[in-house]
Amino acid sequence: MSPTNQDKKFPPITACKGTAYQSIAADLDGTLLVSSSSLPYFMLVATEAGSLLRGLVLLLALPIVIVSYLFISEALGIQILIFISMSGLKIRDIELVSRAVLPRFYAADVRSDSYEVFDRCKRKVVVTANPTIMVEPFVKDFLGGDKVLGTEIEVNPRTKRATGFVKKPGVLVGKWKKLAILKEFGEEAPDLGIGDRKTDHDFMSICKVRALAPLYT
């Protein structure tokens, strides 16, 4: 994502280096990770927990995802990714891929400047639009995070399969990230909030110190 005028009100993440904060709320894609797109990871879930055919369907749907994401809403684009890649899959299969496959790909995409700051904090919370089930093993086991606030997918209680839809309040973007942080931290706001896009500004605005993860080069 290219920097915009709205981004200029926040200093870059490099301004926080060398400082140890008590608590941090951090976005994932484009912030703790180099890539701002979660599509490759949804593709891994679709093919590893599902099938090559499901992966092909996801690939063919990419134009719809991009148009929805850019011109309608970020939440809709991610909801389409979730529906195509996960609907009908057994939850245990998704969990297995999230533990055994995704972490090594996420680990190869970690951006050093953000992680250095993140790692120095004592209480580390990641807030993301991605499904919690996808990212929690990586965040806790590899990044040392304490909590993941992410999108919660809906599960059929009888079949233990993902329905493809998400639980309320929906995909965690914009104001929903802010509300999730407020619920998690209560009256004591995070010392530091870091993100990379306009829809992160809501949750960053309630943090004591804010920093932007600029386009990685």
Side-chain angles (χ1 to χ4, degrees):
M1 185 188 73
S2 299
T4 65
N5 290 332
Q6 291 95 331
D7 296 333
K8 293 181 180 178
K9 62 182 178 181
F10 298 119
I13 189 67
T14 50
C16 302
K17 284 189 174 183
T19 303
Y21 297 90
Q22 285 292 114
S23 59
I24 184 173
D27 177 48
L28 187 64
D29 295 321
T31 302
L32 290 173
L33 300 179
V34 173
S35 174
S36 60
S37 173
S38 57
L39 175 64
Y41 307 107
F42 279 104
M43 182 64 73
L44 283 168
V45 171
T47 55
E48 296 288 340
S51 64
L52 290 177
L53 179 59
R54 184 184 289 265
L56 178 60
V57 172
L58 182 58
L59 188 62
L60 293 174
L62 185 55
I64 298 174
V65 173
I66 293 174
V67 170
S68 300
Y69 188 99
L70 295 178
F71 300 106
I72 301 178
S73 73
E74 180 180 348
L76 179 59
I78 294 172
Q79 173 64 84
I80 295 172
L81 287 174
I82 292 172
F83 184 84
I84 296 174
S85 62
M86 296 186 178
S87 60
L89 295 182
K90 294 179 181 178
I91 289 301
R92 67 170 181 267
D93 290 337
I94 299 174
E95 290 174 338
L96 180 61
V97 171
S98 299
R99 291 194 304 268
V101 179
L102 294 184
R104 68 174 181 268
F105 290 93
Y106 279 129
D109 196 35
V110 171
R111 56 182 298 167
S112 57
D113 53 354
S114 297
Y115 177 69
E116 181 181 330
V117 174
F118 183 82
D119 191 48
R120 291 173 66 90
C121 299
K122 292 186 176 180
R123 183 183 180 188
K124 301 183 277 286
V125 175
V126 170
V127 56
T128 175
N130 290 316
T132 304
I133 192 173
M134 274 178 60
V135 303
E136 191 169 52
F138 166 70
V139 169
K140 289 187 173 182
D141 297 340
F142 287 77
L143 295 183
D146 299 302
K147 185 70 176 285
V148 175
L149 304 175
T151 299
E152 299 297 335
I153 64 172
E154 189 179 82
V155 180
N156 185 313
R158 183 176 61 84
T159 63
K160 305 298 182 184
R161 293 176 181 268
T163 66
F165 298 102
V166 299
K167 295 179 181 179
K168 292 183 178 181
V171 176
L172 215 64
V173 296
K175 68 177 183 179
W176 300 120
K177 284 187 176 182
K178 178 181 178 179
L179 291 174
I181 291 295
L182 287 170
K183 183 178 180 180
E184 175 67 20
F185 283 86
E187 296 181 0
E188 186 61 33
D191 291 323
L192 176 63
I194 59 175
D196 73 303
R197 66 196 72 196
K198 188 176 179 181
T199 52
D200 291 334
H201 291 185
D202 282 333
F203 88 81
M204 291 168 65
S205 68
I206 63 173
C207 300
K208 297 173 184 176
V209 178
R210 306 88 149 178
L212 187 74
L215 186 65
Y216 195 84
T217 55

